[in-house]
Amino acid sequence: MDGTAPGRQEAEITAGVRIEPGRSYGFFTDTTLCIGCKACEVACKEWNGLPADNVALTGHSYDNTGRLGAHTWRHVTFLERDARATEMPPYQSGWLMMSDVCKHCDPAPCLEACPTGALFRTEFDTVVVQQDICNGCGYCVPACPFGVVELAKEDGKAHKCTLCYDRLKGGLEPACAKACPTDSIQFGVVEDLVGRAEGRVAKLKEQGQANAYLYGTPGGPGATGGLRRLNAFFLLTDRPERYNLPPAPSRPARNARPAFLAGLATMAGLAVAAAIIGVGRR
């Protein structure tokens, strides 16, 4: 069913969300609910036809994909903390787990760096790469403060999560969120997700999890350095660095104007110095 057609969409049944152009959609990932099953990774690869990265464990915990990349658009982090069960509160775990993904930033540094228009913001406020327009320049790769975008060796083009753009257009919930058995990955309208996430943080703190906070919501950690918000944001219980997230990400584009003005000032200074030397030789 087309996302704009009348009638009930599948996403309304599976996620309680009606998908309509002109609204902002994203993910709220609650790391306290993640069990590390990797159903999201498998669903993402199956739907998008992505090849396997590694078929053996890396040796770094229970992980085989290692990180986000051109062929891995969802990656589950496994981090075992140095904690003994006898020293922890009841029903707590020594593991930190998080399903990482492209943040679909607002604004998006990768999109700002793209010289060809291959990266664009969709009618659902998500960021997508058009491989038929991408020239493989790689400017988007260092522009991303989260290390999400990667050039594939096979075609030399940039690849990353599309937030299942094709599924959204059909009124379907993204594959990863639909496959998540614990609702650690929740899909919906970003504003609604933020309200839901704030309620979840409050509930966790009532239950004794004083370290719970949101990463990527407006005015909070992760939404820094010119980033207003992350359309895919997270509930964390430890420092961002523990989850391989930067504590204070920033947009490289915000440095362009100061750098440009500094360059002009340098050139002007050199021109004045050359003029003075020329006058002195006459």
Side-chain angles (χ1 to χ4, degrees), residues 66-223:
R67 61 180 179 84
L68 294 173
H71 303 318
T72 298
W73 299 354
R74 270 278 180 189
H75 171 249
V76 178
T77 296
F78 287 75
L79 178 64
E80 188 171 12
R81 292 182 289 186
D82 185 17
R84 291 181 174 274
T86 55
E87 300 171 352
M88 300 173 65
Y91 308 110
Q92 301 298 308
S93 169
W95 287 94
L96 291 176
M97 298 177 184
M98 184 191 79
S99 180
D100 199 7
V101 71
C102 172
K103 316 307 181 287
H104 295 272
C105 308
D106 180 13
C110 59
L111 189 155
E112 293 175 328
C114 180
T116 66
L119 277 146
F120 75 104
R121 189 169 293 278
T122 74
E123 64 270 33
F124 306 114
D125 200 23
T126 59
V127 181
V128 173
V129 185
Q130 302 171 93
Q131 271 76 38
D132 59 334
I133 299 177
C134 176
N135 65 0
C137 69
Y139 291 170
C140 56
V141 177
C144 175
F146 302 99
V148 168
V149 192
E150 184 178 52
L151 301 184
K153 295 179 181 178
E154 293 79 3
D155 62 5
K157 307 294 183 68
H159 295 262
K160 72 171 194 67
C161 160
T162 68
L163 216 145
C164 280
Y165 182 41
D166 52 348
R167 291 177 65 88
L168 297 189
K169 290 191 291 184
L172 305 175
E173 180 182 9
C176 58
K178 185 176 180 180
C180 182
T182 64
D183 272 344
S184 172
I185 303 170
Q186 300 177 38
F187 165 76
V189 177
V190 175
E191 290 77 8
D192 296 341
L193 291 176
V194 170
R196 188 186 309 172
E198 290 173 344
R200 174 64 175 165
V201 169
K203 183 177 180 180
L204 286 172
K205 289 187 175 181
E206 288 177 2
Q207 296 174 343
Q209 182 55 270
N211 296 327
Y213 68 97
L214 298 179
Y215 179 93
T217 53

Side-chain angles (χ1 to χ4, degrees), residues 201-280:
V201 169
K203 183 177 180 180
L204 286 172
K205 289 187 175 181
E206 288 177 2
Q207 296 174 343
Q209 182 55 270
N211 296 327
Y213 68 97
L214 298 179
Y215 179 93
T217 53
T224 57
L227 296 175
R228 289 189 291 270
R229 72 180 185 192
L230 309 181
N231 284 356
F233 62 95
F234 305 84
L235 188 158
L236 307 178
T237 58
D238 208 327
R239 304 188 314 275
E241 303 95 307
R242 299 279 281 172
Y243 301 89
N244 198 32
L245 294 170
S250 63
R251 291 167 54 220
R254 70 198 302 254
N255 300 323
R257 180 180 174 84
F260 178 70
L261 293 177
L264 286 180
T266 301
M267 294 300 295
L270 291 174
V272 171
I276 292 174
I277 294 174
V279 171

